[in-house]
Amino acid sequence: MIPLTEAGIRASFVNASLRERKAVTIPDLAEVSWDDLDYLGWRDPKFPQLGYAVTDVDGAPVGVLLRQADGRTRSRPQYSWCEDVLLPNDVVFFVAKRSGDAGRKGDTVGTLVCSQFECSANVRKRPPVAYIGFDVEAARLRRIETLNIRVRGFLADIRDGE
Ligand SMILES: [Zn+2]
């Protein structure tokens, strides 16, 4: 993905209030290896239930504020970013408000995501050889593409409320 700035990230959240945007803890961007990411995702050390995911859409950053669902939620995940990938980490259920009027009325979209947003690293690992002649590199590229499609589909769904 293209490198983002702190100001760009903070302004990118399509489903957060001004107060929420100001409260976001932005990670150390100097440590980020942008070429190896399909999206930048992180948990907020000040708000353990919150997570954020930002990527570039048509050259501009688009971010969402995600809330880890507790046991009381009745909604179901509509997305699963790393489906079909062998995961070395936990997956959690995050719910995100839709942007605009829909979100204000309580409309949400749910997705299963690696708990510390390890998705980009996971899809870049070489998958196991499924059969003789299996093209590992092609499979790896397909997984990266699939993750991109899923994250962007989720973001488009969130913005449907605009
Ligand atoms: Zn994942």
Side-chain angles (χ1 to χ4, degrees), residues 5-52:
T5 64
E6 175 164 347
I9 291 170
R10 203 176 286 285
S12 75
F13 294 100
V14 294
N15 66 343
S17 66
L18 183 62
R19 189 176 52 81
E20 286 169 328
R21 283 202 300 272
K22 281 184 176 159
V24 174
T25 307
I26 307 282
D28 182 1
L29 300 178
E31 300 287 314
V32 176
S33 173
W34 300 98
D35 283 347
D36 298 326
L37 291 180
D38 302 294
Y39 72 92
L40 177 67
W42 71 100
R43 304 294 295 241
D44 196 317
K46 286 187 300 193
F47 309 102
Q49 291 302 106
L50 296 187
Y52 311 100

Side-chain angles (χ1 to χ4, degrees), residues 81-82 87 113-114 118-119 122:
W81 293 2
C82 289
L87 300 176
V113 184
C114 296
E118 300 95 329
C119 308
N122 288 336

